[in-house]
RNA sequence: GUGGGUGUAGCUCAGCUGGUUAGAGCGCCGGAUUGUGGUUCCGGAGGUCGCGGGUUCGAAACCCGUCACUCACCCCA
């Protein structure tokens, strides 16, 4: 049997309405907060991601779906949304108008990782990006939108973690201190952390190995090494969240993995997801547009993993549909007339269906039941000959003979 | 890329230390009702026991390999 590609998942009919619901909430809320939708391509020149995400990150080093175009240029399926949006913003000069500085997107991303609970090779993200200001209140706006997105979906037991990783310069000073602190304990750290010491020192902070957490317990705190501007900014963000009563906890060990992050970083986690507990995360990326040869432009955004959201959502989010009329047509004369009637019902805006596989009236009604039809329209040879149909209420079992040519009118009048 | 767990019917699973025609529940189809669903009763269809090799008189079961799924590490949403 032919199967789907490893790590890719079908969204089957029974879950489609749940996805529609998630997407509707995302669009509605983003729009309420003044964000406009942007739809960008799902692949770009590889260079875009290599430059913005950072050449030494895992995403770029080993997780990208990269392929050569026919002219030899290297293309990559988007592993995340921010880089593409930033590129589009520069390419179309969207920074000039306040109406296009706040953008949101919704769509699939691709990363070649080993699949696991809440992690797929094609996954979907909802994300927002706000360009052009480093006013701490925009940070608050973005975080609030993220928080309210989850509240609107009625997700429980979430926690918002927040930190500031400062500017590039702030960080350099801190990393030096961190290395000094850790160097005598280097041999006690786990293998991963020994490697991180030189390549990605900050990551040692959120190592899961208990012995590492113990050794790094009294490590210097990043916030103490922030410049005054960074510190004031961070405090203003926290004040803003407090004034809106958004519950947060400061997590000194929260460091984001992508190179472009600076200052404010945050993530929202759920305890019900196994190892992949982060359902939404983001931060400020004030340096990114310059890296892409744009003007110096502060910016902040977040991304939400929609598969993870979907896992947390209660089943059966089915929205109400209009009543279904089931055409039970049978017999040589009845079936073709019923088929024509089916078409006419649909033309007049009525939700109607039949089951061509069912031959007998019994089988037809059984199908009507499986489809949860409100009414069955019974049309056999007898009815065909007299120009009538039997309209059966599937809940009350009440039946009524209706003239064929009056049926649609009758339905529209209400049953 | 590394490690653990699991592969038996469409789905969820049972199958004792190897033993003869491989089972259940749900679902599906049909009958009881010559043209009336959901409940009930009766019947039926559906399986290369993931795949390949080995041990054995005999393998779904034991061994080796392989593939798939899954969880975790790494990393991330």
């Amino acid at each position: 049997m032919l199967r789907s590609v490893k790590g890719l998942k079908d969204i089957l009919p029974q879950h489609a309405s749940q996805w529609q619901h998630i997407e509707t909430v995302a669009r509605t809320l983003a729009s309420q907060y003044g964000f406009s939708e942007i739809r960008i391509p799902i692949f770009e020149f590889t260079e875009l991601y290599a430059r913005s995400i950072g050449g030494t990150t895992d995403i770029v080093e080993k997780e990208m779906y990269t392929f050569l175009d026919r002219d030899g240029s290297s293309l990559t399926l988007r592993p995340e949304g921010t880089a593409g949006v930033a590129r589009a913003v520069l390419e179309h000069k969207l920074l000039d108008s306040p109406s296009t500085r706040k953008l949101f997107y919704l769509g699939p991303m691709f990363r070649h990782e080993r699949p696991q609970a809440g992690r797929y090779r094609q996954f979907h993200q909802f994300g927002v990006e706000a360009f052009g200001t480093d006013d701490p209140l925009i940070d608050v706006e973005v975080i609030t939108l993220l928080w309210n997105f989850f509240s609107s979906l009625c997700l429980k037991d979430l926690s918002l973690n927040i930190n500031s990783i400062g500017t590039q310069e702030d960080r350099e000073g801190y990393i030096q201190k961190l290395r000094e602190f850790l160097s005598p304990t280097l041999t006690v750290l786990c293998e991963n952390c020994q490697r991180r010491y030189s390549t990605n020192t900050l990551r040692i902070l959120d190592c899961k190995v208990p012995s590492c957490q113990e050794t790094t317990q009294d490590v210097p705190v990043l916030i103490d090494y922030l410049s005054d501007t960074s510190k004031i900014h961070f405090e203003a963000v926290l004040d803003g969240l407090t004034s809106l009563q958004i519950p947060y906890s400061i997590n000194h060990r929260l460091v984001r993995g992508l190179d472009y992050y600076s200052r404010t970083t945050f993530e929202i986690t759920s305890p019900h997801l196994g190892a992949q507990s982060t359902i939404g995360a983001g931060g400020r990326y004030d340096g990114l547009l310059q890296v892409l040869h744009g003007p110096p432009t502060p910016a902040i955004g977040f991304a939400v993993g929609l598969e993870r959201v979907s896992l947390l959502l209660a089943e059966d989010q089915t929205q109400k549909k209009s009543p279904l009329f089931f055409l039970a047509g049978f017999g040589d004369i009845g079936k073709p007339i019923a088929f024509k009637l089916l078409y006419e019902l649909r033309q007049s805006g009525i939700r109607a269906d039949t089951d061509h596989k069912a031959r007998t009236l019994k089988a037809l009604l059984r199908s009507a039941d499986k489809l949860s039809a409100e009414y069955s329209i019974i049309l056999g040879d007898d009815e065909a000959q007299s120009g009538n149909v039997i309209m059966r209420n599937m809940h009350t079992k009440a039946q009524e003979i209706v003239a064929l040519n009056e049926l649609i009118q009758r339905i529209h009048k209400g049953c």
Side-chain angles (χ1 to χ4, degrees), chain A residues 42-68 74-81 83-84 109-114 120-123 258 260:
Chain A
I42 61 167
F43 58 88
E44 302 264 1
F45 289 115
T46 303
E47 192 192 350
L48 173 67
Y49 301 118
R51 289 239 301 261
S52 40
I53 298 170
T56 58
T57 58
D58 275 26
I59 293 181
V60 171
E61 272 184 349
K62 49 190 197 198
E63 294 176 1
M64 295 203 304
Y65 280 96
T66 296
F67 57 98
L68 290 184
S74 180
L75 304 178
T76 292
L77 257 34
R78 62 184 188 193
E80 55 103 47
M109 307 295 164
F110 306 85
R111 287 182 203 171
H112 189 104
E113 300 177 275
R114 207 54 183 263
Y120 310 97
R121 290 185 176 178
Q122 175 177 338
F123 59 102
L258 280 45
Y260 55 60

Side-chain angles (χ1 to χ4, degrees), chain A residues 206-223:
Chain A
D206 60 1
C207 182
K208 286 175 196 165
V209 178
S211 63
C212 289
Q213 289 185 351
E214 219 170 291
T215 7
T216 60
Q217 207 166 12
D218 303 317
V219 103
V221 172
L222 179 43
I223 293 181

Side-chain angles (χ1 to χ4, degrees), chain A residues 64-289:
Chain A
M64 295 203 304
Y65 280 96
T66 296
F67 57 98
L68 290 184
D69 202 354
R70 284 161 192 259
D71 66 359
S73 48
S74 180
L75 304 178
T76 292
L77 257 34
R78 62 184 188 193
E80 55 103 47
T82 302
V85 173
R87 190 228 80 227
V89 157
L90 293 175
E91 185 170 335
H92 303 289
K93 319 237 178 320
L94 301 184
L95 294 172
D96 298 336
S97 161
S99 66
T100 51
R101 269 181 225 143
K102 290 166 74 179
L103 301 167
F104 78 89
Y105 60 86
L106 214 46
M109 307 295 164
F110 306 85
R111 287 182 203 171
H112 189 104
E113 300 177 275
R114 207 54 183 263
Q116 163 183 352
R119 165 193 291 175
Y120 310 97
R121 290 185 176 178
Q122 175 177 338
F123 59 102
H124 296 78
Q125 286 188 332
F126 158 51
V128 312
E129 317 288 357
F131 296 94
T133 172
D134 66 350
D135 190 310
L137 291 183
I138 193 72
D139 299 39
V140 176
E141 242 184 84
V142 164
I143 295 169
T144 306
L145 170 54
L146 179 61
W147 184 258
N148 283 344
F149 173 63
F150 296 132
S151 314
S152 301
L153 292 169
C154 306
L155 301 188
K156 302 267 184 289
D157 308 323
L158 302 183
S159 26
L160 166 62
N161 281 278
I162 186 165
N163 193 18
S164 174
I165 58 169
T167 61
Q168 184 88 42
E169 299 82 64
D170 297 344
R171 254 185 335 264
E172 272 164 23
Y174 173 70
I175 289 172
Q176 214 168 358
K177 282 275 179 278
L178 189 58
R179 285 200 178 130
E180 280 169 26
F181 181 93
L182 289 173
S183 78
T185 64
L186 201 50
T187 46
V188 209
L189 294 173
C190 72
E191 247 177 72
N192 273 320
C193 285
Q194 299 195 12
R195 185 172 40 84
R196 288 177 181 132
Y197 182 81
S198 46
T199 57
N200 201 348
T201 322
L202 285 180
R203 281 246 151 246
I204 297 177
L205 293 179
D206 60 1
C207 182
K208 286 175 196 165
V209 178
S211 63
C212 289
Q213 289 185 351
E214 219 170 291
T215 7
T216 60
Q217 207 166 12
D218 303 317
V219 103
V221 172
L222 179 43
I223 293 181
D224 297 338
Y225 292 81
L226 298 185
S227 63
D228 286 348
T229 5
S230 294
K231 216 176 284 182
I232 290 166
H233 180 95
F234 187 50
E235 270 154 24
V237 174
L238 298 182
D239 286 347
L241 290 173
T242 305
S243 75
L244 299 181
Q245 297 183 306
I246 307 289
Y248 63 83
S249 37
I250 297 172
N251 180 350
H252 296 303
R253 288 162 185 265
L254 175 64
V255 290
R256 310 261 68 231
L258 280 45
D259 276 10
Y260 55 60
Y261 284 116
S262 57
R263 297 208 269 182
T264 313
T265 58
F266 52 92
E267 73 178 17
I268 291 182
T269 58
S270 160
H272 306 299
L273 276 174
Q276 309 306 318
S277 57
T278 305
I279 55 175
R284 195 157 261 296
Y285 48 95
D286 296 334
L288 177 61
L289 265 67

